[in-house]
Every structure is written in C-alpha cells, then in structure tokens.
Amino acid sequence: MSRLCTALGLAALTVAMATGQWAQAQEEGAAKALGHYNFWQSMGWQHQAQHQARSLYYYGQTKDPSADKAKEHAAAARAAVTSSQKHLAELKKTSPYDKAAQASIAKIEEIHKKVLTHCDACDKAVAKGDHTAMSSASADIVHDLHDADAEMKNLQKTLKLNSEVPKK
C-alpha cells in the first residue's frame, strides 16, 4: 500500500511540475510576444513621426505654406514620437536584465527627447511665420529619427526579434 501511495504521490508531483513548466512556458511566450508588439509599435510610430517631419520640411519649401497645415504636421510628429515613447517604455519592462537592450533603449529615449525639443522649435517657428526655421527644425527631426531608427535596428538584433510574420 505504501508503494502505491508513493507512486501516486510521484505521479501527482510529476503532473504538477509539468503543468507548472507549461504555464511558465506560456507566460514566457506571452512576454516575448508583448516585447515584439511594443517594439514594432514603437518603431512604427517613430517612422510616422519621421514621415510627418519630412512632409513638414518639404511643405516649408513651398511658395506660401499655411500655418494651419504646418501646425498639423508638427503636432502629428509630436504625437507619433510620444506614442513611440510609450511603447518603448513598455518594451523596457519586458527585458529588464538585458543590459545591451537597456542601453539601446536609453539611447533612443535621449534621441526622442531631442526630437521633442525640435518639435518645440517647429511650433515657435510656425507661430512666427519663419518657414526657414521651421524647415530647419523639421530636418533636425528627420535626421535625429534616422539615428533613432539605426538604434532600433540594433535593439532588434539584441532582442533577436524577427521582422518576418509567419506565412499561413
């Protein structure tokens, strides 16, 4: 009888351990998927900001750019950088012990701060009707976000994130 109890106890322990390992694997898979999600969201918003800044730059080169349209592009660039920052902060939480990833994220955060300063300069230039200063600030946004994009690619390699979506 004691052998039967021991065997049943070992079987129950094995099932419990297997269930715990399965649950842990599920949790790790979900965390990895969340990391992928936040990375691609952050990068997507960053690209959107870069496109808006590039549009603003070329809009500033036109004969008589309207302040309303310029404000629209500047606001869209700022909102996109802010959204990128939000997802970058979430990504930071998914890899707290990866020093290389944390260093890349810190570099990107610093670049984003510079970009928001350039957004402020754009706003001031638009308010003054200074299209040259507006174009200069929007070009700074584009170039800084290009640097952030390069760092995002380093982060992608560090985190071993695929860019391919599996085919059906």
Side-chain angles (χ1 to χ4, degrees):
M1 184 69 170
S2 72
R3 284 186 181 184
L4 180 61
C5 288
T6 302
L8 287 174
L10 285 174
L13 181 61
T14 302
V15 168
M17 286 175 56
T19 302
Q21 288 172 346
W22 180 80
Q24 183 178 1
Q26 290 291 90
E27 193 173 305
E28 287 171 3
K32 185 175 182 180
L34 185 59
H36 277 265
Y37 168 77
N38 282 307
F39 174 83
W40 291 111
Q41 281 293 102
S42 182
M43 184 175 249
W45 283 114
Q46 187 172 284
H47 286 168
Q48 177 64 21
Q50 195 172 27
H51 294 309
Q52 289 295 331
R54 187 177 284 116
S55 295
L56 180 58
Y57 171 80
Y58 285 108
Y59 185 65
Q61 305 303 308
T62 62
K63 184 178 178 188
D64 191 23
S66 80
D68 288 341
K69 194 171 276 196
K71 285 178 188 176
E72 182 182 317
H73 285 296
R78 179 189 306 281
V81 169
T82 302
S83 291
S84 181
Q85 288 177 314
K86 180 180 93 173
H87 289 284
L88 196 61
E90 290 300 315
L91 179 60
K92 192 176 194 176
K93 293 176 190 176
T94 64
S95 56
Y97 304 109
D98 188 329
K99 289 181 182 181
Q102 293 295 319
S104 284
I105 290 170
K107 287 177 187 176
I108 296 164
E109 288 172 334
E110 283 302 311
I111 293 168
H112 284 177
K113 285 178 188 175
K114 282 175 45 181
V115 166
L116 291 175
T117 301
H118 298 315
C119 286
D120 292 341
C122 263
D123 291 342
K124 289 175 185 171
V126 168
K128 291 179 183 177
D130 184 349
H131 305 300
T132 303
M134 178 191 72
S135 290
S136 177
S138 60
D140 290 339
I141 293 170
V142 171
H143 296 300
D144 284 346
L145 288 175
H146 183 269
D147 294 342
D149 192 45
E151 195 58 47
M152 285 292 272
K153 287 182 172 129
N154 288 338
L155 179 59
Q156 181 182 3
K157 287 177 188 173
T158 299
L159 295 175
K160 298 178 180 119
L161 300 176
N162 290 332
S163 59
E164 299 296 318
V165 175
K167 293 185 179 184
K168 290 185 178 184

